Amino acid sequence: MITKRSLYYWVKTSDLKLQSLLLFIIAISIATRVFPLEMQKRIVNLAIGLGKVDLLFLYCGLYLAAVVVTGGLKFAINILQTKLGQETLARIRKELYDHILTLPLGFFRKASAGMIVSSLVTEVVAAGELVGQAVAVPLNNVLTLVAFAAYMFYLNPILAALSFVIYPFILFSIPAMQRRANEANKARVDATRLISGKIGETISGIHEVHSNAGYRIENRRFGEMVDQLLKIRITWNIYRNAIKVMNNLFQNMGPFVLFIVGGYLAIHGRFDLGALVAFLSAYEKLYDPWKELLEFYQIYQDAKVSYKRLMEYFDIAPEFALEPHERPPHLMTGSIQVKDLYFSPGGGIHLLKQINLDLKPGEHLALVGASGSGKSTLALCIAQLQKYTSGSVKVDGKEVSDLTKRDIAENMGMVAQSPYIFDGTIKENLRYSCEALIEGESGTSESKRELPTLDEMIQVIQQVGLFVDVLRFGLSTMLPSDRDDELAAKIVRIRRRFQDEFGESLAESVEFLDEENYLYHASVATNLCYGTPNQEDFKKERLHDSAYFLDFLESVQLRALLLELGRELAIQFVDVLEHLPPEEILFEQSPIAANEIDEYRDLVPMLEGHAAHQLSEEAQSKLLRLALRFSPGIHTMVALSDDLEKRILAARMLFIQKIQQELPGAFSFYLSSDYIHSQTILSNILYGKPRTDHPNALERINQSIIHLLIEEDLLERIVELGMEFKVGTRGDRLSGGQRQKLAIARTLLKDPPIVILDEATAALDNASQKRIQNLVETQWRARTTVIAVVHRLDIIRGYDKIAVMKAGKILEMGSYDDLIARKGMLYELIHGTKAGLL
Amino acid sequence: MSSSTEPKQGSCEYKDNLEIVMHIPIFVGLPLEPLKVLTYFCKRATFFPGDILVHEQEMDPNAYFIISGTVALTLDSSPENIILEFGEMDFLGALSLFCTRKRLFTLKAKTKATCLILPRDKFQKTLEQFPEIGRQIFEALAKSICRWEARLITEHALGCPECRAAIGPTVV
C-alpha cells in the first residue's frame, strides 16, 4: 500500500537510467569546477609572475572554457533533476489518488474535501521535489566539497586543516536547531490542513452562511485559524533562517583565519602569492556546495515531515478487495439472503439489529419506515457501501464482504437519493456505469463489451421520461456552419411547414422574423442589420466600434438617438442593478452584463448634465453598445418609442441595400430559405423568437415542433445532438428531477441483476414518479431483484414483499395484502393515527 | 400564452409593474430601492383559458399577481369543483417565495389572464441584498394568514361544529 512506503522507495523506483546519467554528468562537472582554480594559480604565478603573455592567453582561455562547460553541465543537471522530481511528483499524486478513491466511505464522511485537495495539490510537492534532488544534490555537493578540500590540502595542508576547524561546530549545532524547525513544520502541516478543511466546509455550506448572514462568524473562525498558522509559520521561518544565518557566520570567519595565517606565511616567504589567491578562491567556492547541502538538508527534513504526515492521514486499508484474483468477476442471478445482520457505527449504538430476509432472483422488496429506522443503512450494507458489523449478507450464496468491488459493480446498480452527476455531457453520464465496466475489463482476456448504442440510450431516456428534456437541449444547439448542410436543409424545410401549419395558432407565443416588422424580442442591432455578420468587425461584440457602421448610423441620423437610448438604459438599469451581486442569472433581464456593472456604475455620474455627444469617445462607445443590445420585449425597464422604431425599420432597408452594393457577403441577411447558423435549431425552426420563457408556452411550441420532427424523421438526430448537452459541474444545469431520471437511466442501461433504489424518486413530481414505478413493475418484473427504500406508501402496492422497519429492526414483512389483512404496522402507517408521520 | 403587451410609446411596462408591486399587500410600505429590484425581476405572462399556472403536487417556484382575467383553484381529485376564484389585483403564492414545497392546489386560467410573475430565487436574492425588508414582509404575510383564519372562524366554524376540527393553522 502506498501509505506504507518511505520516501526512499520513490528514489529507488525513479528512472534509474536518468539517475545514472545524472551521476555521470556530476562527476565531469566536478573536474571542470576545480580546474579554474589551478588556472588561477598558474595565471598569477607563471603568466603574470614570469611576464609571459602567451601563457596568460592560454590559461585565461582554458579558464573561460572550464567556466562555460561548468555552466552548461549545471544546467543539464538542473533539467535532469526537474524531470526526475516532477515525474515522481506525478507518480505519487496518481498512486495516492488511486488509493484515496478506494478508501472506505466512512473515511470520506469524516475527511473534508478541502483537506484531500490540499494533500494532493500542495503537500506532496515537497516530497516529489526532494526525490529529484535526492541523489544529485548531496552527491554533487559532497564530491565538490571533497574535491576543493583535497585541492586545498594539496596547496597547503596546515592552512587547509585550519580552515576546516570550524565545520565540526556547524555540524553539531545545526541539527539541534533543525529539530525545532521540524516541530514547527509538523504543526504547520496540521494547521494548514485545518484551514483547508474549514474553507472546504464553509464553501459547501455557503447557502447556510448566506441565509443566516453568518459572514462574521465564519470570518472570525477562519481568522483565528489563520492567526494560529501565522504564529507557527513565523516560528518555523525563524528557525530556518537562524540556521542559515549561523551557517553564514561560520563561513565568513574562514577568510579571517586564512588572512592571518596565510598572510603571515606569505610575508615570511613560506607561501607564494598565487597559492594564497587560489586558496582564498577555493575557500570561497566551498561556500556554495556547503550552502546547497544545507538547503538540501532543510528541504529533506521538511519533506520528511510533510510526507510522513500525509501518508499517516491516508493510512487506511480499503475495506474490500477491488479486483477478483485469478478469476473473472462473478455473474449472479440476484438471490439475496440476509442473516442476523447487525450494524453498529461504534459507541454501543446499533443502527441495524438482527435483520433477516430472503429474496429469490427477480423478487421486489420495498423497505418502509420512518426516517432513522435503518432502511437506507440496510440498503447500503447489501450494496457493500457500508461494512456490516456482524451477521451475513449473501448474494447468490456468496458473502458480500468477501466479494470484490468489481463483482458488486457487475451485478448491482444503485440509484441514490441525490445521485451524483459528473461534469460532462448527458451521453457521458448515461454511459458512466457501462464505461466503468468496460474499463475494468481492459487488460483482461474477458469478452469485450460494447458501449451502449444510440438506440439503446434513446430507449432508456424515453423510459425514464427524459426524452423531451434531451430533445429540448438538442433544439437549443447551434449547428456549426461548416458541416451538416443536409440537416440544415431539412430544418429549413421544417421551418416552412411550421409556418404553414402553426404560424397562425402560435402567433401569440412566437415573434416571427419579418422584414417589414420590428422584432421586440431581438436586439436593436439585429433589427438594424437583419442578418448574421460574416465579417469580424460586424460581430455583436464589436459592432458599436465599427467605423463603417457608425458612419451608417450618422448618415441615417440614428447615432444621436441611439446614444440617448443608451444613456437612458444605463441610468435606469444601473439604478436597480447596483444593489445586486454580479451574478449572471440576476442580469438576464438587463442589457448590462454582470461583469460590466462596475464600468457602467462609474459611467452614470458622468452622464448627468452632459448631452450624449459631449461625452468622451469611450463613454459614447459604451452607451452605443447598450443601445444596440436593447430588446424591448426582454429589457422592459425602458420603452422603445414609436418614432425610434420607425426610424430603425427604415434604416434596416437602407442598410441591407448599402451592404448589398458596397460589401456583398459581409452579412447573411435573414431569408426564410436560408439556415441561420448564428442561432439555435429551435430559433431556426421558429424563424423567430419565443415571446416568453414560461414553460407552458414553450411546451406548446415544443409539441408542435416534435410533431413536425417526427414527420420529417429528424427526432432522433436532434436528440443525439441533445445528448451532447453539457450538464455542468455536479449537473447543476439540470433540475433535481432531471438528475434523478438520468441516474435511473444510467442504471437501466447497465441492466444488472440487482437494483437498489434509495429513495430514487424523491425529487420527482407525481407523474414522473408513477412512470418510474411503472417501469420498475414492468421492465424489472421477475428478472431483476429490486430493493427499494421507499418514502411514499402509495407506490408500494406492486412490490412482492414489504418490510416495515423501526429502530433498526424489521417489524413485519410480507406481501402488501397480507400485511394489510394482518392490520399490523403497515396498516397503522397507511390508515392509522400515525399516517402522515412518514 | 405570451407576454401580453408590446411596449409602446409613453407606456413603459416597468413603470406600470412598479405601480402594481408597490400596492401588493405584503410589499406595501417597503422602501423604493428593494421595490425597484423586485419589479425588475417580475415578468408578465398571459395565460389562455385552460392553461395551468400551477400544478398540484408540483414544485412551483413563483408568486403571481393577476393583472387581468380570472383563475380558478381546484383539487386534482375533483377538478370540476372550483374551490376559489381569483381575479384582478389578487396576489397568489406568497408562501412559495419563502420555501420550496409541493403545491397543494391546481391553479388554472378560467379566462384569458395576464399575470405578473415573481420567481422565488430572485426574490430570495433581493432579500439577501435588503435583509431588513424580510421582517416587514413576513409580518404582513403572517397578518394576512391570521385575518384569513379569523374570517373562517367567524363565518364558518361558529355555526358548524364539524368545521371546528379543521381550523387552527395559525396556532403553529
Side-chain angles (χ1 to χ4, degrees):
Chain A
M1 208 163 71
I2 178 173
T3 51
K4 301 282 185 224
R5 291 176 192 157
S6 71
L7 267 174
Y8 303 107
Y9 168 88
W10 300 104
V11 181
K12 276 189 293 185
T13 55
S14 59
D15 189 338
L16 292 179
K17 272 187 207 152
L18 277 189
Q19 295 277 24
S20 346
L21 180 62
L22 192 57
L23 286 182
F24 179 68
I25 297 179
I26 288 170
I28 302 174
S29 81
I30 293 191
T32 61
R33 280 198 208 186
V34 182
F35 189 72
L37 294 182
E38 181 62 22
M39 287 305 107
Q40 270 181 3
K41 191 182 102 184
R42 291 188 183 200
I43 288 168
V44 175
N45 283 352
L46 297 180
I48 303 175
L50 301 177
K52 289 192 174 169
V53 177
D54 54 341
L55 277 183
L56 180 69
F57 285 151
L58 174 69
Y59 292 142
C60 283
L62 287 172
Y63 181 95
L64 185 67
V67 170
V68 171
V69 171
T70 311
L73 291 177
K74 175 122 194 168
F75 186 55
I77 291 173
N78 270 330
I79 290 177
L80 287 177
Q81 269 183 20
T82 309
K83 193 159 156 39
L84 279 167
Q86 295 303 321
E87 274 173 4
T88 308
L89 178 59
R91 217 151 44 96
I92 300 181
R93 277 194 179 136
K94 282 184 205 161
E95 293 191 27
L96 188 58
Y97 189 61
D98 201 35
H99 172 72
I100 291 173
L101 288 184
T102 62
L103 289 179
L105 292 176
F107 172 81
F108 295 97
R109 276 178 219 124
K110 278 179 264 158
S112 81
M115 214 124 86
I116 299 176
V117 171
S118 91
S119 301
L120 277 170
V121 175
T122 50
E123 284 180 31
V124 289
V125 174
E129 283 177 352
L130 178 80
V131 172
Q133 303 181 351
V135 175
V137 174
L139 200 71
N140 186 2
N141 291 307
V142 167
L143 285 182
T144 314
L145 267 181
V146 170
F148 283 136
Y151 182 72
M152 284 161 75
F153 272 99
Y154 150 76
L155 287 176
N156 189 324
I158 303 167
L159 216 48
L162 269 176
S163 42
F164 284 109
V165 163
I166 43 171
Y167 282 86
F169 289 104
I170 306 182
L171 286 177
F172 173 75
S173 54
I174 285 177
M177 294 189 70
Q178 184 63 42
R179 272 195 292 279
R180 304 206 167 183
N182 283 357
E183 289 300 318
N185 191 25
K186 253 184 228 166
R188 178 194 64 88
V189 173
D190 290 345
T192 312
R193 215 174 254 174
L194 267 180
I195 288 185
S196 315
K198 179 74 202 157
I199 297 172
E201 187 196 346
T202 312
I203 301 301
S204 39
I206 195 75
H207 282 107
E208 210 61 32
V209 177
H210 271 242
S211 60
N212 287 308
Y215 317 106
R216 289 223 179 88
I217 303 183
E218 291 308 320
N219 212 354
R220 176 168 49 74
R221 287 185 186 153
F222 183 70
E224 281 163 10
M225 288 184 177
V226 171
D227 290 342
Q228 186 65 27
L229 179 64
L230 170 83
K231 276 186 210 147
I232 297 170
R233 285 197 75 109
I234 289 182
T235 318
W236 181 49
N237 276 305
I238 287 178
Y239 279 119
R240 282 165 63 91
N241 286 320
I243 293 170
K244 280 187 192 149
V245 169
M246 193 158 66
N247 187 41
N248 259 332
L249 186 68
F250 282 128
Q251 279 286 327
N252 292 336
M253 282 178 187
F256 166 76
V257 178
L258 286 181
F259 279 125
I260 286 268
V261 181
Y264 184 84
L265 290 177
I267 290 171
H268 288 81
R270 283 195 278 166
F271 199 46
D272 64 66
L273 201 56
L276 184 61
V277 171
F279 207 96
L280 272 172
S281 290
Y283 190 83
E284 291 281 304
K285 292 225 160 90
L286 274 184
Y287 181 67
D288 275 341
W290 180 258
K291 194 183 79 183
E292 277 187 34
L293 262 186
L294 189 86
E295 272 169 12
F296 174 75
Y297 174 70
Q298 287 197 324
I299 291 173
Y300 167 66
Q301 293 290 337
D302 290 348
K304 206 169 75 173
V305 170
S306 31
Y307 182 81
K308 192 157 170 263
R309 267 283 191 268
L310 176 70
M311 291 305 174
E312 274 169 4
Y313 184 63
F314 295 110
D315 190 18
I316 303 164
E319 282 175 316
F320 305 99
L322 301 180
E323 296 289 328
H325 189 57
E326 292 181 343
R327 64 167 170 86
H330 295 300
L331 294 178
M332 300 180 168
T333 57
S335 70
I336 296 174
Q337 295 85 34
V338 179
K339 242 196 185 123
D340 286 331
L341 184 73
Y342 280 83
F343 171 69
S344 160
I349 308 158
H350 283 281
L351 293 186
L352 292 178
K353 293 173 209 151
Q354 216 192 350
I355 303 284
N356 285 293
L357 59 87
D358 207 328
L359 291 177
K360 289 193 265 306
E363 269 193 313
H364 290 190
L365 168 74
L367 297 172
V368 300
S371 63
S373 61
K375 49 194 199 305
S376 281
T377 312
L378 176 56
L380 292 179
C381 283
I382 296 172
Q384 211 200 43
L385 291 172
Q386 184 79 269
K387 194 168 186 156
Y388 39 90
T389 320
S390 67
S392 101
V393 177
K394 285 184 175 165
V395 179
D396 277 26
K398 297 183 179 72
E399 190 64 40
V400 164
S401 56
D402 298 337
L403 291 175
T404 65
K405 282 278 164 204
R406 243 332 260 299
D407 292 317
I408 295 291
E410 288 277 350
N411 294 290
M412 279 192 202
M414 168 110 190
V415 185
Q417 189 175 355
S418 30
Y420 199 89
I421 301 299
F422 297 91
D423 190 11
T425 62
I426 299 235
K427 186 154 113 189
E428 284 164 358
N429 271 292
L430 267 178
R431 285 176 165 184
Y432 188 80
S433 301
C434 298
E435 219 169 335
L437 289 184
I438 292 173
E439 287 223 356
E441 275 176 357
S442 65
T444 63
S445 56
E446 296 156 47
S447 63
K448 278 265 171 273
R449 269 169 217 263
E450 301 267 326
L451 275 176
T453 62
L454 179 66
D455 284 344
E456 285 166 333
M457 286 192 285
I458 290 181
Q459 192 191 349
V460 293
I461 60 169
Q462 253 165 350
Q463 284 172 331
V464 299
L466 204 57
F467 185 80
V468 178
D469 304 69
V470 178
L471 181 71
R472 201 171 295 149
F473 297 142
L475 286 171
S476 311
T477 323
M478 289 204 244
L479 281 187
S481 53
D482 51 348
R483 70 184 173 105
D484 239 338
D485 288 336
E486 196 193 341
L487 181 61
K490 277 191 182 172
I491 289 170
V492 170
R493 193 158 69 224
I494 292 181
R495 171 196 296 173
R496 225 168 285 137
R497 290 193 53 191
F498 183 77
Q499 291 274 351
D500 293 345
E501 292 171 37
F502 301 100
E504 241 170 86
S505 62
L506 288 177
E508 290 218 51
S509 306
V510 185
E511 185 172 62
F512 293 111
L513 282 174
D514 182 346
E515 218 179 78
E516 309 283 322
N517 286 331
Y518 197 90
L519 302 159
Y520 296 103
H521 292 266
S523 66
V524 168
T526 303
N527 269 292
L528 267 173
C529 305
Y530 200 70
T532 309
N534 299 324
Q535 225 168 279
E536 275 306 313
D537 52 339
F538 293 139
K539 292 257 156 86
K540 207 162 54 180
E541 283 314 311
R542 297 180 56 184
L543 190 64
H544 57 280
D545 285 330
S546 150
Y548 184 89
F549 187 70
L550 290 179
D551 281 346
F552 168 75
L553 288 183
E554 198 71 68
S555 71
V556 292
Q557 282 136 33
L558 261 180
R559 187 162 170 191
L561 287 174
L562 289 181
L563 283 176
E564 273 313 314
L565 175 63
R567 171 205 181 92
E568 199 190 341
L569 285 166
I571 293 173
Q572 293 289 345
F573 277 93
V574 166
D575 182 39
V576 169
L577 295 175
E578 66 178 343
H579 302 295
L580 296 175
E583 293 170 29
E584 260 173 61
I585 182 169
L586 305 180
F587 283 68
E588 279 169 352
Q589 287 148 264
S590 132
I592 301 176
N595 58 1
E596 295 166 350
I597 181 67
D598 290 342
E599 211 178 295
Y600 282 98
R601 186 174 28 217
D602 297 342
L603 182 64
V604 164
M606 290 190 256
L607 302 178
E608 312 285 343
H610 286 96
H613 65 269
Q614 294 172 318
L615 295 167
S616 71
E617 210 163 294
E618 197 195 337
Q620 290 196 20
S621 154
K622 282 178 187 167
L623 292 185
L624 196 60
R625 172 167 72 176
L626 276 199
L628 289 174
R629 281 182 194 163
F630 174 57
S631 308
I634 301 166
H635 312 134
T636 53
M637 208 179 259
V638 170
L640 174 73
S641 70
D642 276 347
D643 175 51
L644 187 57
E645 179 182 328
K646 277 187 203 121
R647 278 166 180 267
I648 292 175
L649 275 178
R652 176 193 291 177
M653 294 304 160
L654 294 174
F655 187 72
I656 296 177
Q657 280 170 16
K658 185 176 161 76
I659 291 288
Q660 278 168 345
Q661 278 166 15
E662 298 171 9
L663 291 170
F667 275 87
S668 305
F669 294 109
Y670 299 142
L671 279 176
S672 61
S673 56
D674 284 357
Y675 189 86
I676 308 165
H677 283 284
S678 62
Q679 295 191 0
T680 63
I681 295 180
L682 179 72
S683 303
N684 264 289
I685 295 177
L686 293 182
Y687 195 57
K689 291 265 161 76
R691 291 179 199 261
T692 164
D693 55 4
H694 199 277
N696 279 8
L698 296 181
E699 182 57 32
R700 214 192 322 249
I701 297 171
N702 275 337
Q703 284 306 325
S704 324
I705 290 180
I706 290 174
H707 176 78
L708 291 174
L709 288 174
I710 294 173
E711 289 190 2
E712 293 283 336
D713 197 24
L714 259 190
L715 201 58
E716 288 193 359
R717 184 78 188 83
I718 305 290
V719 170
E720 196 183 347
L721 291 173
M723 296 260 201
E724 301 296 332
F725 176 75
K726 294 235 183 326
V727 297
T729 331
R730 299 176 187 213
D732 62 0
R733 296 177 68 195
L734 302 178
S735 71
Q738 286 171 333
R739 283 198 287 270
Q740 215 157 38
K741 287 176 188 172
L742 189 53
I744 297 170
R746 182 150 81 188
T747 308
L748 266 176
L749 208 51
K750 173 168 149 181
D751 198 20
I754 300 169
V755 170
I756 292 174
L757 306 171
D758 187 2
E759 304 205 7
T761 54
L764 301 183
D765 56 62
N766 272 9
S768 307
Q769 192 160 34
K770 266 183 210 141
R771 176 195 277 270
I772 301 294
Q773 194 49 42
N774 200 16
L775 190 69
V776 172
E777 286 168 22
T778 53
Q779 179 84 0
W780 285 333
R781 157 89 29 230
R783 59 181 280 270
T784 304
T785 313
V786 176
I787 296 179
V789 176
V790 170
H791 62 298
R792 285 182 52 171
L793 297 172
D794 52 348
I795 58 169
I796 59 176
R797 220 175 256 270
Y799 285 83
D800 302 308
K801 282 182 181 166
I802 291 150
V804 184
M805 294 189 68
K806 192 178 177 184
K809 281 186 180 165
I810 293 183
L811 293 186
E812 59 180 19
M813 181 157 56
S815 73
Y816 185 84
D817 295 335
D818 284 352
L819 292 184
I820 293 295
R822 202 187 292 172
K823 298 214 167 172
M825 277 299 287
L826 186 69
Y827 183 87
E828 266 298 297
L829 285 173
I830 296 176
H831 301 287
T833 48
K834 287 169 195 152
L837 287 182
L838 274 183
Chain B
M1 199 199 83
S2 75
S3 71
S4 63
T5 44
E6 298 301 0
K8 281 283 161 263
Q9 189 172 25
S11 82
C12 170
E13 193 181 295
Y14 173 77
K15 293 204 176 99
D16 298 345
N17 289 352
L18 182 60
E19 190 69 23
I20 290 171
V21 172
M22 282 168 92
H23 291 101
I24 290 175
I26 62 165
F27 298 145
V28 167
L30 295 186
L32 192 58
E33 236 110 72
L35 281 175
K36 279 186 185 169
V37 173
L38 285 173
T39 309
Y40 161 70
F41 286 136
C42 283
K43 280 186 188 174
R44 284 191 185 207
T46 301
F47 297 87
F48 296 101
D51 271 355
I52 288 176
L53 284 74
V54 172
H55 220 298
E56 187 179 319
Q57 287 299 332
E58 269 174 24
M59 303 289 182
D60 178 59
N62 297 322
Y64 301 81
F65 178 87
I66 302 167
I67 298 173
S68 67
T70 316
V71 297
L73 197 67
T74 57
L75 282 172
D76 280 1
S77 48
S78 55
E80 323 75 43
N81 284 340
I82 293 179
I83 300 166
L84 270 175
E85 271 184 19
F86 295 94
E88 250 166 71
M89 309 286 285
D90 281 328
F91 182 66
L92 314 170
L95 285 181
S96 301
L97 295 178
F98 288 94
C99 62
T100 33
R101 59 197 176 103
K102 288 187 176 173
R103 292 286 205 179
L104 302 174
F105 302 95
T106 292
L107 201 58
K108 204 187 256 187
K110 211 177 152 203
T111 64
K112 186 173 172 183
T114 304
C115 299
L116 201 58
I117 298 178
L118 175 61
R120 184 186 96 91
D121 53 345
K122 295 185 173 164
F123 171 77
Q124 291 284 344
K125 284 284 173 198
T126 316
L127 217 51
E128 274 167 27
Q129 299 308 311
F130 305 96
E132 69 283 357
I133 65 170
R135 194 189 53 80
Q136 238 172 309
I137 297 176
F138 224 87
E139 209 173 285
L141 189 62
K143 272 187 191 156
S144 77
I145 294 173
C146 287
R147 264 200 307 276
W148 190 325
E149 189 158 61
R151 207 174 64 225
L152 279 183
I153 294 171
T154 47
E155 287 177 13
H156 301 284
L158 290 180
C160 151
E162 296 93 70
C163 308
R164 262 175 230 166
I167 59 172
T170 51
V171 248
V172 284

